Amino acid sequence: MMLLTTLCIQLLLLLQSSYAFTAPTVTSRLSTTKSSSSIYSSSNDEEFTGFGNVGFLVLAGGTGSRMKANMPKQFLTLSGSPVLHYSLHLFLEKLPEYCAQNGLSPPSTVVLVMDPKYQPEYQPIVDKYNGKLAFANPGVERQGSVENGLNKLVELSKENNGSPCEFVAVHDSARPLVTIPEIESVVKDAQSVGAAVLGVPCKATIKESDDGVLVQRTIPRARLWEVHTPQVVKVEALLRGFDKVEKENLEVTDDVSIIEALGEPVKLTLGEYTNLKITTPEDMDVATAILKDRGDDQINLI
């Protein structure tokens, strides 16, 4: 197992270092297959003024049962800091600093969806970022958590600047390695199309089975994407989607699935393979290696 983990780390680091060279090939393939629709054209040439109309929603209400740990995975220590802190530091410190350096508007509000029993421990951080960070309680399922967080986000944005957020960026706290370029790209695409999701082309061969015993078919890999977060959606569309899902009792697996249910377009924004989700103990080893390779400073929110 140790040898396997080491090999995985080495492969991911190699992938990270070579990503700049492989990404153009993927982009070329995407533009070739979908160039007939302006929906998939890049919005990078349009004027981008920043994140002022985007509220960020950090989901941290999961239990992390597959981690086999005595606490939810978002609170486990990764390179000296809790996993959750990487997302909070990114949205509350690094992204506003980046905006200031580049003449962009920063996000006005971040909502942290967290179980009430953990909120007292994080209250000092909320107090530090007074008006910029607030709690929301999780729902029974992901959709309920997003809806609770969205309602809080809309409420706070009205209090802060007199107008509601136009877009919401939903991010899973178990993805601590997302980068500012990824966030900027997916927000740009959402502002252009109405909804966008970070993702990468699927590298594995995927087979479908009805019973988990026999293979029914092999799904063409060229059409498959592994989606990540943030997922950025127009608030108005997401609220309409919630209403449709509830009335029709639809099953949705993520936020943009709600937009798909409305029959509205969702832009695939090319992300990075290093934006992995912490799910198993081995993922912590890989994430630690990536952080070490990046040379990021240790996080201190308090």
Side-chain angles (χ1 to χ4, degrees):
M1 180 63 74
M2 182 61 69
L3 176 60
L4 179 60
T5 299
T6 303
L7 288 174
C8 288
I9 292 172
Q10 291 173 343
L11 286 171
L12 258 174
L13 291 177
L14 178 62
L15 176 62
Q16 184 185 26
S17 63
S18 62
Y19 182 78
F21 300 97
T22 60
T25 303
V26 174
T27 305
S28 176
R29 185 178 72 178
L30 181 62
S31 61
T32 299
T33 57
K34 298 182 177 178
S35 59
S36 61
S37 172
S38 61
I39 289 174
Y40 297 98
S41 62
S42 172
S43 62
N44 292 342
D45 293 334
E46 299 178 9
E47 183 180 0
F48 178 64
T49 59
F51 306 88
N53 65 344
V54 183
F56 284 81
L57 185 58
V58 180
L59 301 180
T63 59
S65 57
R66 281 178 286 181
M67 283 299 297
K68 300 177 182 178
N70 60 357
M71 67 179 72
K73 57 191 174 185
Q74 60 268 27
F75 304 125
L76 295 176
T77 300
L78 174 63
S79 292
S81 299
V83 169
L84 167 60
H85 288 204
Y86 288 88
S87 298
L88 293 178
H89 185 256
L90 177 61
F91 297 139
L92 293 167
E93 293 287 347
K94 292 176 69 175
L95 187 56
E97 181 181 347
Y98 171 81
C99 290
Q101 293 172 350
N102 291 275
L104 302 173
S105 59
S108 60
T109 310
V110 178
V111 170
L112 175 59
V113 180
M114 174 180 281
D115 191 308
K117 69 181 179 181
Y118 295 109
Q119 290 180 13
E121 182 179 348
Y122 278 78
Q123 188 62 51
I125 299 177
V126 172
D127 293 340
K128 175 183 177 180
Y129 296 96
N130 182 33
K132 299 290 185 182
L133 177 65
F135 291 123
N137 294 336
V140 177
E141 302 290 345
R142 177 190 173 92
Q143 180 185 330
S145 294
V146 173
E147 192 165 10
N148 290 347
L150 180 60
N151 290 336
K152 186 66 175 180
L153 190 64
V154 170
E155 173 191 330
L156 291 174
S157 65
K158 288 181 179 179
E159 292 177 0
N160 288 341
N161 54 35
S163 61
C165 285
E166 188 177 356
F167 293 88
V168 56
V170 183
H171 186 59
D172 191 335
S173 64
R175 292 188 185 273
L177 303 177
V178 67
T179 64
I180 288 178
E182 288 180 284
I183 294 169
E184 183 170 347
S185 293
V186 74
V187 168
K188 283 182 180 179
D189 284 342
Q191 290 175 343
S192 175
V193 176
V197 55
L198 279 176
V200 292
C202 189
K203 296 184 291 182
T205 297
I206 305 297
K207 296 188 182 293
E208 183 179 354
S209 173
D210 286 332
D211 56 9
V213 177
L214 296 177
V215 172
Q216 180 179 356
R217 68 181 178 119
T218 300
I219 303 175
R221 184 171 57 190
R223 302 178 59 187
L224 299 179
W225 283 67
E226 175 188 328
V227 296
H228 297 167
T229 65
Q231 300 188 5
V232 187
V233 182
K234 222 169 191 177
V235 170
E236 176 271 333
L238 192 55
L239 291 174
R240 282 191 290 112
F242 283 146
D243 185 56
K244 180 180 178 67
V245 167
E246 183 178 356
K247 286 181 178 178
E248 300 180 17
N249 195 27
L250 301 177
E251 182 178 348
V252 293
T253 56
D254 64 356
D255 312 301
V256 294
S257 294
I258 298 174
I259 305 304
E260 294 168 37
L262 291 172
E264 298 180 11
V266 177
K267 176 71 164 61
L268 281 168
T269 301
L270 183 63
E272 301 180 20
Y273 287 96
T274 50
N275 184 15
L276 60 84
K277 185 176 182 179
I278 303 294
T279 305
T280 65
E282 291 78 13
D283 295 329
M284 293 287 284
D285 295 332
V286 176
T288 298
I290 294 172
L291 287 170
K292 182 177 180 181
D293 184 65
R294 289 179 179 177
D296 288 352
D297 294 333
Q298 190 169 3
I299 293 171
N300 184 13
L301 286 171
I302 301 179

